[in-house]
Amino acid sequence: MSSLEEHITEVEDEISRTKYNKATQLHIGRLKAKLAVLRLERETRAKGKGGGTGYSVRKSGHATVGLVGYPSVGKSTLLNRLTAAESETGAYDFTTLTIIPGMLRWGGASIQILDMPGLVPGASKGKGRGREVISVVRSTDLILFLIDPDHSNLRALQAELEGAGVRINQRPPRIVVQRGDRGGLTVSSTVRLTHLAGGLAAQIAREFGVHNGSIVIREDATADQLIDVLAGNRVYVVALNAVNKAEGLTADQRAKLVVDLAPAEPIFISAREKQGLEALVDRIGGSLKFIRIYMKPPGLPPDKEEPLILRNGDTITELLRRLPGDLHRTFRAAQIWGPSARFPGQTVGRDHVLEDEDIVTVVVARGTARAVAEAP
Ligand SMILES: Nc1nc2c(ncn2[C@@H]2O[C@H](COP(=O)(O)OP(=O)(O)O)[C@@H](O)[C@H]2O)c(=O)[nH]1
Ligand SMILES: [Mg+2]
């Protein structure tokens, strides 16, 4: 074991040995910051060695879903049921060694589903093909945890993802860090801090080498949340839980699984027996929060037949990316009718956030307005 690994293990052990209370709050906060910095160092070294590039998956469709679960929970069987893909299945571990993509249609949207090798404990340290799998998970829009009724404990698996910077069903902390190069560090907050009080915020920042600048904290954030912002490489992903092999489960067994998996409400399916798959697909589609945008050529009615599909929170920039040609270059402004418009025909720029059923005309350079009705 390298001395970096030893150091990481030491700090991990010390954190788990120390009981969290008012007296140890500062100490634990600093240790967690130290650990996060060491893990970043491990990532940097792994990348330097060319690790983590074993898989490259071309993303396609309007959103990407990753199937994550232990080996043999039925991920490949499910992919084959939901899409036209043919992923090898088998009653033994590690059937899937590569990532197999499939495509699912939901309403007007196409959703890419990725079948991945099962994650095993130790994945984030490079066990199995863990690091590669995790790097793909980080790039997905939604994680579908597939669960075996007999092994429903996801804690180890989720700890792996957590350790690799994946934040599941959380929103980014309301903390803004601005690094400076002189004048010291100021920490301010708009609410009373119960976790980061007593100078802990500044001490954590120092572990990250931040000695100058400002930190503004807008919620009663934890040390972990501040560390996430300072580390800067976290991804915030939506996740759903599906219990597979549910065809033989009794009502009591289901009720127990609901309790075990709370607060996330699991969806019960049987990939093999094709049970619950429609409800599953609806939950996936609904969770991805697609929006429909109607393009309107100037002087003509909007094209309501073939909306452009985007995601909630997307802006005109994402819209331009979906349109053919080089509109991102020639773009001058857009005109908006519909839910996101303050008044009909409002002129907006690239950063305007779109809403479902907006109607958009793109105005390009030289004052000629045009809208493109079809995506490529
Ligand atoms: N009873 C039952 N078995 C299933 C179901 N789905 C998959 N299996 C079986 O579980 C085993 C592992 O499936 P596979 O799709 O290869 O799992 P993966 O390793 O997660 O990709 C195979 O023998 C499947 O036939 C299901 O819904 N019910
Ligand atoms: Mg498989």
Side-chain angles (χ1 to χ4, degrees), residues 65-70 73-75 78 82 142-149 151-152 154 158 239-246 249 257 261 264-271 275-277 279-281 283-284:
V65 173
L67 292 179
V68 176
Y70 293 116
V73 296
K75 297 182 295 298
L78 180 63
L82 295 182
L142 185 148
I143 297 172
L144 178 61
F145 285 111
L146 204 58
I147 298 154
D148 185 303
H151 311 277
S152 64
L154 289 180
Q158 287 175 343
L240 293 175
N241 290 340
V243 175
N244 190 33
K245 309 189 184 182
L249 291 180
L257 283 160
L261 294 165
E265 174 115 17
I267 309 148
F268 290 94
I269 62 167
S270 170
Q275 292 170 10
L277 300 186
L280 173 67
V281 169
R283 278 282 290 279
I284 293 172

Side-chain angles (χ1 to χ4, degrees), residues 70-78 88-92 94-96 115 244-247 269-273:
Y70 293 116
S72 297
V73 296
K75 297 182 295 298
S76 301
T77 308
L78 180 63
E88 199 187 331
T89 65
Y92 47 89
F94 302 114
T95 325
T96 314
D115 177 23
N244 190 33
K245 309 189 184 182
E247 70 274 357
I269 62 167
S270 170
R272 202 185 61 190
E273 307 301 325

Side-chain angles (χ1 to χ4, degrees), residues 5-23:
E5 279 306 327
E6 278 165 18
H7 202 161
I8 288 177
T9 311
E10 268 168 35
V11 181
E12 282 172 345
D13 288 349
E14 191 173 349
I15 292 174
S16 60
R17 270 201 315 271
T18 314
K19 232 176 137 177
Y20 185 90
N21 57 43
K22 266 268 162 288

